[in-house]
Amino acid sequence: NKKAFIFDLDGVIVDTAKYHFLAWQKIAKELNIDFTLEHNELLKGVSRVRSLDIILELGNVEASQEDKDKWLIQKNEDYLTYLVDMNESEILPGVFTILKFLKEKNQPIALGSASKNARPILEKTGILSYFNVVVDGNDVTNAKPDPEVFLIAAKLLNISPENAIVFEDSVAGVQAANTGKMTSVGIGEESILQEAKYIFKDFTEIDTDFIEELIKE
Ligand code: G6P
Ligand code: MG
């Protein structure tokens, strides 16, 4: 059976979670909402709009749509300033090796991200050409844990969901992969990603034998 390999972006390929956190923290501070790194886990894999709602809920803050729109713009403008100097050095350890191996093995590769900034990040880090398809926050109506983003990616690659393997660092993303009947590979802490079929701390812990097994399965 032909396989497809679908990568989440933030927290899997690049460590942008820290930038998202800094940008959200600024907004939270302005609103006097206590927003910690632990809270930030809740925002991983989650859309921008939903992220703001979660932060407002944390602080029991009600806001008008007008204010929300203003903060969403402010958050993204701030976030983009962190991306200006981004280059290939921000690709997380081990990722490049796996991408190269998959390419050598002629495996279809997709990006499946909630971010609307996915393409510029892939361009800046120089890995856009590795991806046969890019599905991101601009292409979906339902955010993770809904499997839509991964289902679209599999469909564009002409691979049935059962033959798709998803690399994810977020709980919402692992749930999306599982709901979509795909093989979920969690990248991060075991305590957070228990629902994933396989879990690795990072890509340096994934060896090419494991990938080979997934291809053969
Ligand atoms: C990813 C990140 C989230 C982020 C979302 C939207 O899933 O894990 O933290 O909120 O993308 O990103 P964007 O770049 O569109 O604001
Ligand atoms: Mg992620």
Side-chain angles (χ1 to χ4, degrees):
N1 276 342
K2 226 173 155 351
K3 296 296 191 312
F5 291 82
I6 307 177
F7 290 74
D8 172 47
L9 177 68
D10 297 288
V12 167
I13 293 176
V14 282
D15 184 17
T16 43
K18 60 187 179 204
Y19 302 142
H20 282 295
F21 176 68
L22 291 172
W24 282 128
Q25 210 183 29
K26 259 186 211 168
I27 308 263
K29 269 214 180 100
E30 275 177 36
L31 299 173
N32 261 317
I33 298 173
D34 180 44
F35 179 63
T36 64
L37 266 176
E38 217 164 76
H39 295 139
N40 195 49
E41 277 309 312
L42 301 170
L43 306 191
K44 289 188 178 174
V46 172
S47 73
R48 199 183 306 166
V49 171
R50 179 79 194 115
S51 297
L52 176 61
D53 284 338
I54 292 174
I55 292 171
L56 294 176
E57 279 164 28
L58 280 173
N60 262 318
V61 173
E62 296 220 17
S64 65
Q65 193 54 50
E66 206 186 338
D67 276 339
K68 286 194 200 179
D69 290 344
K70 183 185 78 190
W71 295 324
L72 288 170
I73 291 170
Q74 191 184 325
K75 187 270 173 178
N76 199 51
E77 281 177 353
D78 191 34
Y79 176 66
L80 290 177
T81 64
Y82 296 110
L83 303 187
V84 171
D85 296 323
M86 190 167 226
N87 57 40
E88 67 275 3
S89 72
E90 299 225 20
I91 295 177
L92 285 166
V95 171
F96 207 58
T97 310
I98 300 300
L99 282 175
K100 269 217 278 238
F101 184 74
L102 289 171
K103 267 282 167 267
E104 276 163 26
K105 297 279 166 186
N106 267 318
Q107 297 300 305
I109 304 176
L111 191 87
S113 166
S115 173
K116 295 188 170 178
N117 298 303
R119 271 179 188 274
I121 292 175
L122 292 178
E123 277 168 13
K124 278 179 165 293
T125 52
I127 53 171
L128 180 62
S129 63
Y130 279 84
F131 294 85
N132 301 93
V133 306
V134 173
V135 186
D136 64 24
N138 301 296
D139 306 308
V140 298
T141 39
N142 304 303
K144 300 170 189 175
D146 190 286
E148 186 183 13
V149 66
F150 298 142
L151 291 175
I152 296 175
K155 194 164 183 197
L156 287 172
L157 292 171
N158 246 319
I159 303 289
S160 71
E162 292 80 5
N163 290 318
I165 293 108
V166 174
F167 297 101
E168 255 295 345
D169 70 309
S170 72
V171 177
V174 166
Q175 288 170 343
N178 290 344
T179 306
K181 300 203 162 49
M182 303 174 169
T183 300
S184 53
V185 182
I187 306 292
E189 294 297 327
E190 196 159 349
S191 57
I192 295 171
L193 301 172
Q194 308 124 352
E195 292 174 60
K197 174 150 189 208
Y198 305 99
I199 306 173
F200 298 94
K201 261 215 153 63
D202 58 44
F203 273 90
T204 64
E205 301 221 325
I206 301 183
D207 62 14
T208 49
D209 290 348
F210 172 72
I211 301 289
E212 201 117 47
E213 283 304 312
L214 291 174
I215 295 172
K216 274 191 247 152
E217 235 170 45

